[in-house]
Amino acid sequence: MEQNFRYELVGAFGDPIDENPTGVMFEAAFEALGLKWRYLPIRVTADGLRDAVAGLRAFHFKGINCTIPHKVKVMDYLDSVADDAAIIGAVNTVRVSGGKLIGENTDGKGFLKSLKEDANVDPSGKHVVVLGAGGAARAITVELALAGAASILVVNRTTERGKQLVARLKEKTPTSAEFQPWTGTFAIPAGTDIVVNSTSIGLYPNVNDKADIDYDTITASMTVCDVIPNPPKTPFLAESAKRGATTLDGMGMLVNQGVVAFKHWTGQDPPADAMHAALAKVFG
Ligand code: NDP
C-alpha cells in the first residue's frame, strides 16, 4: 500500500504569536475528522510578511490566518480580496483556490454565525448598538449591515475612529449608520434589538472591567453580545443577563470564525463542539 507521510499545512502569521491559542481548536478538529493536516503558529515580523506570503506559495500551504500586525498589510501580497473583507479593510484568513491566494475576513462572519445559530437571532431588520470602532467592530458592523440590519449606532471613545467607521458603512453598505461619542455613561436607546461590546474591555487579565453603560437601559427583549473570548463570562454580560437579556459570549464568535476558515481551507464542516471544548480547556 502506498504511504503518505506529508501533512497539509495551514497556520497563523503574527507577532507576537506564542500565546495565540487558535491552533488548539484547529488541531482538535483535524484529529476529530482524521485529517492529516497541521496548524502552525508562525512568528512573522512586519518586515518579513512579503517573504512569508511567498513561502505560503512555495510550501503549498492550504491557507493561513493573519493576526496582529498583518491583517491590513497582507492584502498587498494576495491575488484578490473578498468583497466583504475589502469593505472591512482587513484580512484574517487567506485561502488558496486554483493556486491563487484569496483574502477573507471570517471575524464578522463568525460573529454572525454565532448570533444566528447560538442566540437564534436574525439581524435582518434589527436595530443594533455597537460599542467600539476597532478591527472587531469593523468586521461585525459590515457583516451586520450586509445581513440587512436596519440601523447601526456606533459608540466609540475616540471620535475620529467612530466617524470613519460610520462613513465607511454609509458608503459601502445599505444600512443606516450613525455615530455617537462615548462620553460618560452611555444609555442604550429604547427600541434597540442587539447590543455588541466590540471593545477590549473585560479581556484577561482585566477581568473585572466593565463597559460604562447604564445597565438599567438593558431590557429583556435585547440580545447582548460580547467579543471577549477570555474569559467568556464578562461583567458586561453578567449585568445584562441580570436585566433578562439574552446573552452571547465571544467564545462563540472565536470558534465560529475558525469554523468558517476551516470550511474555506478543507471544504469540510468541522466539529464546532470539539473546537469549543479544546479552547475552553485552554481558557480554563
Ligand atoms: P482594536 O484595538 O482595533 O480596538 C479596540 C476598541 O476598544 C476601540 O474601539 C477602543 O476605543 C475600544 N476601547 C478599548 N478600551 C476602552 C475603554 N477603556 N473604554 C472605551 N473604549 C475602549 O482591537 P480589536 O477591535 O481588534 O479587538 C477588540 C477586542 O475584540 C479584543 O479584546 C479582542 O480580543 C476581541 N476579538 C475577539 C474576537 C473573537 O473571535 N471573539 C475576534 C477579534 C477580536 P478607541 O478607538 O477610543 O481606542
Side-chain angles (χ1 to χ4, degrees), residues 203-225:
L203 185 66
Y204 180 87
N206 304 310
V207 299
N208 295 319
D209 288 1
K210 192 167 64 180
D212 186 9
I213 65 168
D214 178 356
Y215 287 91
D216 288 333
T217 57
I218 298 274
T219 67
S221 67
M222 295 178 188
T223 302
V224 178
C225 318

Side-chain angles (χ1 to χ4, degrees), residues 113-270:
K113 195 167 160 59
S114 186
L115 183 67
K116 286 181 176 171
E117 294 173 11
D118 301 336
N120 255 323
V121 173
D122 182 344
S124 176
K126 298 290 195 302
H127 299 282
V128 184
V129 170
V130 173
L131 306 172
R138 286 215 309 270
I140 287 170
T141 52
V142 166
E143 297 298 347
L144 284 171
L146 296 178
S151 72
I152 299 178
L153 176 63
V154 173
V155 181
N156 198 49
R157 183 178 58 178
T158 304
T159 297
E160 199 46 41
R161 221 172 174 193
K163 279 188 173 167
Q164 276 172 9
L165 173 53
V166 164
R168 185 169 276 238
L169 291 170
K170 279 183 166 160
E171 187 196 342
K172 305 277 189 186
T173 78
T175 198
S176 151
E178 270 184 65
F179 169 69
Q180 190 156 328
W182 196 351
T183 49
T185 305
F186 178 73
I188 305 297
T192 299
D193 301 300
I194 301 168
V195 183
V196 187
N197 172 41
S198 62
T199 73
S200 41
I201 300 168
L203 185 66
Y204 180 87
N206 304 310
V207 299
N208 295 319
D209 288 1
K210 192 167 64 180
D212 186 9
I213 65 168
D214 178 356
Y215 287 91
D216 288 333
T217 57
I218 298 274
T219 67
S221 67
M222 295 178 188
T223 302
V224 178
C225 318
D226 207 329
V227 296
I228 302 296
N230 182 25
K233 290 198 191 324
T234 57
F236 172 75
L237 290 183
E239 290 291 343
S240 303
K242 271 190 216 161
R243 272 76 177 182
T246 302
T247 59
L248 187 65
D249 69 42
M251 275 278 278
M253 175 179 170
L254 185 57
V255 170
N256 279 297
Q257 63 80 28
V259 167
V260 176
F262 192 100
K263 179 97 192 216
H264 277 317
W265 294 336
T266 67
Q268 297 191 37
D269 287 311

